[in-house]
Amino acid sequence: MNPKCIGMMWMCCIILFLFDICAVASRLEFKNIKCTNLDRKFSEFEECYLKAQNRTYKYMSIKVILHQKPVTQFKVNFELYKRSNGLQPISYNTTLDGCKEFSSARNPVTTFFLGLFQTYSNINHSCPYNHDLILHKLPTNFVLQQFSTFLPFPPGDYVLSSNWIAYGINRANVRVHATLI
Ligand SMILES: *[C@@H]1O[C@H](CO)[C@@H](O)[C@H](O)[C@H]1NC(C)=O
Ligand SMILES: *[C@@H]1O[C@H](CO)[C@@H](O)[C@H](O)[C@H]1NC(C)=O
Ligand SMILES: *[C@@H]1O[C@H](CO)[C@@H](O)[C@H](O)[C@H]1NC(C)=O
């Protein structure tokens, strides 16, 4: 073989190698979920768990019983941050009006937060809310897809914390810890 050919082969190898690295889809793993009820008179969590059906299908479910229906005014504060050792953390902190924006998000950041779970929930309309709140089997793969279409987030540990505020009082916190690999 002449040297030119060998050179080409090396080039191909390098390109294939790089391509292979790039082609490895990132993975998302839910590490844990914590639902904290802050007002038992207002609501309670009947379900709040992560489950692995098999290696590729993992999901989370949440069910909230509302004791004071209908709910006609609420806000949700979403905070997403990346855990890091003091280096510039990625963080988003936004509060939205649930009565208005759960039926139509107003900007890319709220669209992003709602897009993470909304199609797997019944939290998708304007007020009043006169039913229990359900997040039904939200799969990790779906969340990963939503993450990737918003921004290429770097690998790392992420925490998504949400505060559910009705009539100006924080009633519940839902916190999910996930790792992007
Ligand atoms: C994992 O479970 C889901 C849902 O039951 C199923 O559709 C999928 O084929 C399973 N995957 C594997 C690798 O067993
Ligand atoms: C996020 O925003 C809320 C409401 O504006 C504020 O109370 C909270 O302290 C903020 N969180 C962080 C980590 O800055
Ligand atoms: C909201 O979610 C429920 C339950 O998943 C579904 O039946 C309904 O069509 C959805 N409504 C909208 C406006 O997306």
Side-chain angles (χ1 to χ4, degrees):
M1 236 188 273
N2 70 39
K4 221 169 161 186
C5 257
I6 292 172
M8 288 272 283
M9 272 171 60
W10 269 110
M11 189 95 105
C12 275
C13 279
I14 289 167
I15 289 171
L16 283 176
F17 178 74
L18 288 176
F19 184 75
D20 196 45
I21 300 249
C22 297
V24 173
S26 14
R27 259 186 320 130
L28 180 79
E29 279 180 10
F30 291 144
K31 292 296 180 186
N32 66 56
I33 180 170
K34 193 173 173 208
C35 298
T36 309
N37 191 352
L38 303 171
D39 183 353
R40 280 173 207 291
K41 284 197 191 113
F42 188 81
S43 60
E44 71 189 86
F45 288 98
E46 195 176 83
E47 286 177 3
C48 175
Y49 63 86
L50 297 177
K51 188 170 174 186
Q53 183 100 356
N54 53 40
R55 270 181 63 84
T56 52
Y57 181 46
K58 294 172 185 169
Y59 61 83
M60 72 170 72
S61 284
I62 297 174
K63 182 170 181 186
V64 181
I65 311 290
L66 292 178
H67 294 311
Q68 293 178 26
K69 291 181 281 195
V71 173
T72 56
Q73 197 278 321
F74 73 104
K75 287 181 188 213
V76 186
N77 166 245
F78 292 103
E79 266 179 53
L80 173 71
Y81 54 92
K82 184 173 185 291
R83 287 187 171 161
S84 66
N85 312 320
L87 294 170
Q88 247 189 353
I90 288 178
S91 78
Y92 287 96
N93 184 2
T94 190
T95 301
L96 56 90
D97 182 330
C99 283
K100 291 180 184 145
E101 297 192 69
F102 274 99
S103 55
S104 62
R106 292 198 174 157
N107 64 56
V109 174
T110 49
T111 304
F112 164 68
F113 280 113
L114 299 182
L116 291 177
F117 67 91
Q118 211 172 21
T119 49
Y120 286 85
S121 80
N122 64 356
I123 313 169
N124 59 2
H125 59 82
S126 46
C127 285
Y129 272 79
N130 52 19
H131 55 74
D132 299 333
L133 309 180
I134 295 168
L135 179 69
H136 184 65
K137 294 188 174 179
L138 172 68
T140 34
N141 287 344
F142 177 81
V143 176
L144 174 63
Q145 213 173 48
Q146 299 303 307
F147 254 83
S148 328
T149 52
F150 182 66
L151 267 185
F153 284 94
D157 276 349
Y158 289 85
V159 176
L160 174 64
S161 171
S162 59
N163 285 301
W164 297 74
I165 303 153
Y167 312 110
I169 298 168
N170 194 3
R171 313 286 178 158
N173 174 269
V174 176
R175 176 182 288 255
V176 178
H177 174 194
T179 301
L180 213 47
I181 300 161

